[in-house]
Amino acid sequence: MNNQIEALVLAGGLGTRLRPAIGSSTPKALAPIGKEPFLNLLFDNLIRANIERATISIGHLGSAIREKYNQGYKSLQIQFIEEATPLGTGGAVQNALLSMRCQFVLILNGDTLIEYPVKEMIDKLETGVDAVALVTRVENSDRFGSIEISETGFVTGLLETESHKPTHVYAGVTLAKPRALSSLSLPPFPFGFEEEILRKLSNRRQLKAILTPKGFLDIGTPQSFIQAQENAREE
């Protein structure tokens, strides 16, 4: 059991790009993949990693998420933190950390699914850095910024420029020390997690990367959502 880790799922976004595919009354995190809402798949990943507690940062249409998981999910204990106004992904992390008490926080995008090597991430975090980001390689990063990694495994750059060639990208998973994140000097809400928090950690040489050969499932756009549904049908 990973008692020292608590998951933080970022599910407070407006989901504007996905509305043409799922409508305006369904939160993105509950978009159906096969016969299940997306969050079920994400929570199953947490359970497989022996993580027992998760906090969900909710905002737009958050009442539907709260209603569905108010009693938890299988063996996973779930609590909710509501964004009264949009905080951005970075603001949501800082806001949630105020009420979380854990040694390590596993920060997950609420629209991305990938397998993560928790033990390896803990081992790397205990080498003296403040955070470890999961990074994967894609053939076309036209929707993502790229990540530069040194030979010693430090993240040396987070580039917003989209690339139409193979590159490394952030896979939506970070394991971090909560106190280190809370001590960062950050702008007023709203602000982004990658743009502000990960970039500041990188600039301080406090962010390492773990490369994974696993691909990730993403439902951020109608096109990627359709692909995710097709993948589910094939399994």
Side-chain angles (χ1 to χ4, degrees):
M1 294 182 289
N2 283 310
N3 291 322
Q4 75 252 56
I5 300 178
E6 185 169 338
L8 171 57
V9 180
L10 305 178
L14 297 176
T16 306
R17 291 180 299 177
L18 198 57
R19 287 181 192 172
I22 65 172
S24 59
S25 61
T26 300
K28 179 168 60 172
L30 295 185
I33 304 297
K35 297 181 180 180
E36 297 191 76
F38 183 81
L39 275 180
N40 279 18
L41 307 181
L42 189 149
F43 291 154
D44 283 334
N45 258 5
L46 291 176
I47 292 169
R48 280 192 290 271
N50 295 318
I51 292 172
E52 299 177 338
R53 298 183 304 279
T55 294
I56 312 177
S57 182
I58 56 176
H60 180 67
L61 300 175
S63 59
I65 297 174
R66 184 189 290 272
E67 181 178 349
K68 181 164 186 60
Y69 298 106
N70 196 45
Q71 302 300 316
Y73 175 80
K74 297 181 180 177
S75 62
L76 190 67
Q77 302 170 35
I78 297 174
Q79 68 173 359
F80 304 88
I81 294 181
E82 194 148 2
E83 301 177 32
T85 58
L87 302 178
T89 51
V93 169
Q94 292 300 92
N95 182 58
L97 289 178
L98 295 174
S99 59
M100 295 177 71
R101 301 290 181 267
C102 51
Q103 183 178 356
F104 303 130
V105 58
L106 184 70
I107 301 165
L108 307 168
N109 288 348
D111 60 0
T112 305
L113 187 71
I114 189 169
E115 293 181 26
Y116 31 84
V118 172
K119 185 181 184 305
E120 185 181 350
M121 295 179 81
I122 292 174
D123 290 345
K124 186 156 287 194
L125 194 62
E126 291 181 336
T127 62
V129 294
D130 291 336
V132 176
L134 195 64
V135 174
T136 190
R137 188 170 176 83
V138 297
E139 294 304 310
N140 186 340
S141 66
D142 57 356
R143 286 185 47 231
F144 312 97
S146 60
I147 284 187
E148 296 178 337
I149 306 168
S150 73
E151 291 183 359
T152 53
F154 285 95
V155 174
T156 56
L158 291 94
L159 308 178
E160 296 182 10
T161 306
E162 297 172 347
S163 172
H164 297 281
K165 58 185 180 181
T167 188
H168 291 117
V169 300
Y170 177 56
V173 180
T174 294
L175 184 67
K177 298 172 182 175
R179 286 185 180 180
L181 300 192
S182 299
S183 69
L184 293 173
S185 176
L186 295 165
F189 301 143
F191 60 86
F193 178 66
E194 296 171 52
E195 297 84 354
E196 293 292 340
I197 295 179
L198 291 187
R199 183 164 285 131
K200 279 187 167 62
L201 291 169
S202 172
N203 291 342
R204 293 167 53 177
R205 288 185 62 81
Q206 286 296 320
L207 178 63
K208 280 194 169 182
I210 285 185
L211 295 174
T212 176
K214 304 285 187 180
F216 65 95
L217 185 153
D218 165 68
I219 60 166
T221 68
Q223 294 79 10
S224 62
F225 174 62
I226 290 170
Q227 183 62 54
Q229 290 180 311
E230 292 175 353
N231 292 347
R233 283 196 291 269
E234 292 171 1
E235 294 179 353

